[in-house]
């Protein structure tokens, strides 16, 4: 009985600490966006939602956030998988296994600053290109930060995500005995490319799918990096939401909340799709 | 068929294989008995091309394959665990080697379904590996190896992780399949009874050295194999019952 009580209390505590704040926050945002609460509450209205959903800039924001997250994760995954499948032991033993943690310990805002220093028009690469005679003035250096393609944001996220995925996949490689799978595939006749693309990559991605997805959502909702490296004309969701919340016009606040609720719905839909995909794989045919 | 000449290997200062020279005939199953650390697995990996020997030669059907890469030897190495590819269903696991060889779809289907039938798994074709029992997984692993018609099959304690009933069933199944397909195989085990049941000939591996017995009587008579000791144990038990 005591054990049962303790388990129930544990569950209650978990729900209290994890679910309640999120549900409360989203609930408040929903009520605010519907005009049911807040300083400018005017009673139940769908006007703010209509405003947001009809605004092309909102859809550009969602699309841009998805694009940045997708490209960043794909590049980081490609780098991490290539490193791990080329030399798996390098990242679990020896000095590199410690050094690879370094980029992970750097705060996002500091990483954004580094990237700004590296890729900006007055940055290190620009100066180097100038010294090498590749450009005659620093202003000729291409726009790699605060640009409409999110190059700076993507580079910063890749620099942070690639080491994370490398450590993650290197440990998966060991725990899932991928070396044995690859040996087995070799004796079945697989060449190097076949081993990588028919065995190594699918096994690592299958096992790591949930983590990859969570990191994708993290990048999509990131704030500090796009704040420093992003463009004003095409914004990521978090930047647009915060800017609307902090405007002098109090009428913008319900719209900011509507954006945050819409973004939450998108996350829940994507998460549900992932769970459905996972369950489908496990279901007997 | 398969021959080794003076294979030796030192690993971290320890002599793992010491001057191994032996031969297996076509369609023969050689079972090798040995304790953990006796060098059985290293020997199989050297034969498969997954490890390199410091000295010696591996000859298959008269051709020196010592430096031939593992994927071109036609020697399949099976682990104790089935190691079915977790992202592929049963059908695709078995079809794996044929897809590597870019065989036509009709050939793949015919071969895979014939093997599923022979391995008593026709209902499991679309299942994922985690939906199978230990014995079923091991059957699929056999199917995946057999479908490419390996020149030699190397089995590294393939039934070690199975319960005794499943193990007995699998031993019968493998004996039958080996006969049907005319397999040439090396079966490594630390189980005395299994070594005697599975092998057409038997070998005993100790501290990197392999002793092969041409007759079962020689294997039984050698004290090092432990057969006499085992037999005496059961005789004593019978006597106690009386």
């Amino acid at each position: 009985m005591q054990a049962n009580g303790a388990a129930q209390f544990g569950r209650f505590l978990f729900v209290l600490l994890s679910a309640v704040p999120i549900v409360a926050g989203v609930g408040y945002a929903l009520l605010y966006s519907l005009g049911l609460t807040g300083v400018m509450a005017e009673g139940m209205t769908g006007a703010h939602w209509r405003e947001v959903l009809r605004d092309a800039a909102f859809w550009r924001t969602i699309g841009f956030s998805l694009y940045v997250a997708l490209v960043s994760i794909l590049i980081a995954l490609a780098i991490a998988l290539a490193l791990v499948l080329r030399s798996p032991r390098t990242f679990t033993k020896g000095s590199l296994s410690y050094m690879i943690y370094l980029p992970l310990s750097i705060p996002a805002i500091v990483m954004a600053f580094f990237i700004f220093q590296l890729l900006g028009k007055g940055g290190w690469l620009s100066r180097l290109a100038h010294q090498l005679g590749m450009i005659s003035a620093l202003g000729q250096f291409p726009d790699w930060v605060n640009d409409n393609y999110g190059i700076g944001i993507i580079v910063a996220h890749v620099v942070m995500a690639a080491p994370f995925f490398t450590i993650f996949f290197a440990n998966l490689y060991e725990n899932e005995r991928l070396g044995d799978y690859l040996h087995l595939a070799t004796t079945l006749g697989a060449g190097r490319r076949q081993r990588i693309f028919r065995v190594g990559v699918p096994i690592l991605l299958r096992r790591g799918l949930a983590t990859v997805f969570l990191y994708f959502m993290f990048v999509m909702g990131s704030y500090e990096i796009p704040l420093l490296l992003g463009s004003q004309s095409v914004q990521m969701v978090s930047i647009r939401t915060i800017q609307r919340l902090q405007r002098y016009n109090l009428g913008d606040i319900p719209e900011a909340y509507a954006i945050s609720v819409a973004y939450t719905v998108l996350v829940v839909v994507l998460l549900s799709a992932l769970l459905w995909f996972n369950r489908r794989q496990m279901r007997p045919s | 068929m398969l021959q080794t000449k003076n294979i030796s290997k030192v690993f971290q200062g320890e002599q793992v294989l010491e001057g191994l020279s032996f031969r297996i005939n076509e369609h023969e199953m050689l079972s090798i008995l040995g304790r953990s650390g006796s060098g059985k697995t290293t020997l199989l990996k050297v034969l498969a091309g997954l490890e390199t020997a410091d000295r010696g030669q591996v000859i298959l059907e008269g051709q020196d394959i010592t430096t031939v890469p593992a994927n071109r030897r036609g020697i399949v190495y099976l682990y104790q665990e089935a190691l079915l590819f977790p992202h592929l269903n049963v059908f695709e696991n078995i079809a794996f080697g044929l897809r590597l060889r870019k065989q036509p779809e009709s050939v793949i289907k015919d071969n895979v379904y014939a093997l599923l039938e022979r391995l008593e798994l026709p209902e499991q074709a679309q299942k994922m590996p985690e939906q199978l029992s230990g014995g079923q997984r091991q059957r699929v692993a056999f199917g995946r190896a057999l479908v490419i018609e390996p020149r030699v099959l190397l089995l590294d304690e393939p039934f070690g992780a199975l319960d005794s009933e499943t193990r007995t069933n699998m031993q019968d199944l493998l004996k039958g399949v080996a006969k049907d397909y005319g397999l040439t195989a090396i079966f490594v085990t630390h189980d005395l009874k299994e070594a005697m049941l599975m092998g057409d000939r038997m070998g005993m591996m100790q501290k990197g050295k392999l002793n092969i017995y041409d007759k079962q009587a020689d294997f039984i008579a050698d004290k090092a194999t432990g057969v006499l000791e085992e037999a005496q144990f059961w005789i004593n038990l019978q006597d106690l019952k009386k």
Side-chain angles (χ1 to χ4, degrees):
Chain A
M1 284 294 279
Q2 264 190 338
N4 198 21
Q8 283 205 341
F9 178 72
R11 267 197 291 272
F12 169 74
L13 203 63
F14 175 76
V15 170
L16 189 72
L17 293 175
S18 62
V20 169
I22 296 169
V23 172
V26 174
Y28 180 75
L30 184 65
L31 292 175
Y32 212 121
S33 68
L34 292 171
L36 295 173
T37 189
V39 282
M40 300 282 283
E42 70 263 44
M44 178 71 186
T45 173
H48 305 300
W49 275 91
R50 275 196 299 277
E51 183 74 25
V52 167
L53 295 175
R54 282 178 189 163
D55 184 5
F58 164 73
W59 294 107
R60 264 204 309 276
T61 295
I62 294 286
F64 184 67
S65 300
L66 277 167
Y67 150 78
V68 166
L70 193 68
V71 174
S72 305
I73 294 296
L74 285 178
I75 296 173
L77 279 178
I79 293 170
L81 287 168
L83 289 173
V84 169
L85 288 168
R86 188 157 191 89
S87 50
R89 294 272 165 91
T90 312
F91 304 101
T92 51
K93 292 185 176 84
S95 55
L96 253 184
S97 67
Y98 295 104
M99 282 171 64
I100 196 147
Y101 281 94
L102 192 66
L104 298 181
S105 61
I106 297 173
I109 191 74
V110 178
M111 181 61 79
F113 182 69
F114 284 166
I115 298 300
F116 191 87
Q117 292 293 324
L118 181 71
L119 302 181
K121 277 191 188 291
W124 301 324
L125 278 185
S126 172
R127 286 163 197 270
L128 185 68
H130 185 252
Q131 288 294 320
L132 293 173
M134 295 163 77
I135 50 173
S136 54
L138 294 182
Q140 289 177 343
F141 195 74
D143 291 324
W144 283 351
V145 293
N146 308 126
D147 63 306
N148 288 343
Y149 297 101
I151 294 173
I153 304 173
I154 291 169
V155 171
H157 278 304
V158 168
V159 171
M160 293 186 82
F164 171 79
F165 284 133
T166 303
I167 295 165
F168 175 63
F169 287 135
N171 286 308
L172 264 186
Y173 189 103
E174 294 263 318
N175 297 338
E176 297 293 324
R177 297 181 56 189
L178 194 61
D180 288 341
Y181 279 108
L182 295 173
H183 273 164
L184 178 72
T186 306
T187 69
L188 289 168
R192 184 173 165 71
R193 283 177 68 84
Q194 288 174 319
R195 281 198 297 276
I196 290 172
F197 293 108
R198 286 181 180 263
V199 180
V201 171
I203 290 180
L204 287 176
L205 285 184
R206 186 186 153 90
R207 295 291 193 225
L209 185 65
T211 305
V212 170
F213 177 78
L214 289 176
Y215 205 103
F216 175 87
M217 299 315 301
F218 165 75
V219 173
M220 218 181 135
S222 63
Y223 179 70
E224 295 99 327
I225 290 175
L227 181 69
L228 194 59
L229 300 173
S231 147
Q232 278 301 312
S233 52
V234 198
Q235 292 173 320
M236 288 186 74
V237 173
S238 53
I239 302 293
R240 186 173 176 79
T241 309
I242 296 293
Q243 278 190 356
R244 293 221 150 200
L245 269 176
Q246 292 175 340
R247 273 187 195 174
Y248 289 111
N249 182 2
L250 294 176
D252 277 346
I253 296 178
E255 283 173 28
Y257 279 122
I259 292 172
S260 66
V261 173
Y263 176 68
T264 308
V265 170
L266 177 69
V267 170
V268 171
V269 168
L270 289 175
L271 192 63
S272 305
L274 175 82
L275 289 173
W276 173 81
F277 179 75
N278 260 0
R279 289 217 179 110
R280 191 167 154 264
Q281 296 238 322
M282 300 292 289
R283 197 172 52 206
S285 303
Chain B
M1 173 70 181
L2 178 70
Q3 193 183 357
T4 67
K5 286 184 180 172
N6 204 28
I7 295 279
S8 292
K9 183 167 178 70
V10 174
F11 184 68
Q12 291 179 342
E14 191 186 339
Q15 188 83 41
V16 187
L17 301 175
E18 195 175 342
L20 300 188
S21 298
F22 65 94
R23 180 187 188 95
I24 334 171
N25 301 315
E26 203 167 359
H27 311 311
E28 181 186 38
M29 191 179 300
L30 172 72
S31 61
I32 297 179
L33 181 70
R35 288 182 185 165
S36 301
S38 59
K40 309 184 299 280
T41 296
T42 308
L43 170 63
L44 293 193
K45 287 193 170 174
V46 167
L47 296 177
L50 299 174
E51 297 260 6
T52 47
D54 299 333
R55 266 190 302 131
Q57 282 178 291
V58 181
I59 295 160
L60 183 62
E61 293 167 343
Q63 183 203 352
D64 186 345
I65 59 161
T66 314
T67 55
V68 173
N71 62 326
R72 295 200 197 132
R73 290 191 180 195
I75 298 179
V76 176
Y77 175 89
L78 293 185
Y79 288 79
Q80 181 174 356
E81 295 81 13
L83 293 184
L84 300 184
F85 300 124
H87 56 295
L88 301 177
N89 64 17
V90 167
F91 181 95
E92 288 301 329
N93 259 284
I94 295 180
F96 183 80
L98 297 176
R99 294 217 185 275
L100 293 179
R101 289 161 179 77
K102 297 185 170 56
Q103 293 289 310
E105 198 59 35
S106 59
V107 173
I108 292 176
K109 272 191 176 168
D110 290 349
N111 281 285
V112 173
Y113 280 118
L115 261 168
L116 282 168
E117 200 69 44
R118 178 64 189 87
L119 296 166
E120 299 159 21
L121 293 166
E123 311 297 322
Q124 320 297 335
Q126 300 307 316
K127 284 191 175 171
M128 296 304 285
E130 65 266 19
Q131 296 172 307
L132 304 177
S133 68
Q136 286 173 328
R137 282 182 207 170
Q138 205 55 272
R139 284 174 204 221
V140 178
F142 287 153
R144 186 176 52 185
L146 293 174
V147 81
I148 60 166
E149 298 173 9
R151 295 155 91 186
V152 180
L153 187 60
L154 306 174
L155 301 130
D156 194 353
E157 303 197 37
F159 309 138
L162 303 178
D163 62 79
S164 67
E165 193 184 334
T166 312
R167 190 174 186 143
T168 307
N169 292 339
M170 291 300 294
Q171 287 164 350
D172 291 342
L173 182 87
L174 180 60
K175 285 291 268 188
V177 167
K179 197 176 165 194
D180 292 353
Y181 286 81
L183 281 182
T184 306
I186 299 181
F187 187 100
V188 154
T189 179
H190 61 262
D191 185 286
L192 181 58
K193 186 176 150 198
E194 190 167 74
M196 295 182 70
L197 276 172
M198 300 307 298
D200 298 313
R201 279 190 305 152
M202 275 144 284
M204 174 78 194
M205 193 135 188
Q206 278 178 307
K207 294 177 184 169
K209 290 181 180 169
L210 178 65
N211 190 12
I212 292 185
Y213 306 86
D214 285 331
K215 293 175 188 163
Q216 200 174 58
D218 297 338
F219 181 75
I220 293 169
D222 188 346
K223 273 190 175 175
T225 63
V227 180
L228 292 173
E229 200 181 331
E230 179 91 4
Q232 193 58 51
F233 170 81
W234 292 107
I235 290 165
N236 291 346
L237 209 65
Q238 281 294 102
D239 292 345
L240 272 175
K241 266 189 169 180
K242 287 171 193 170

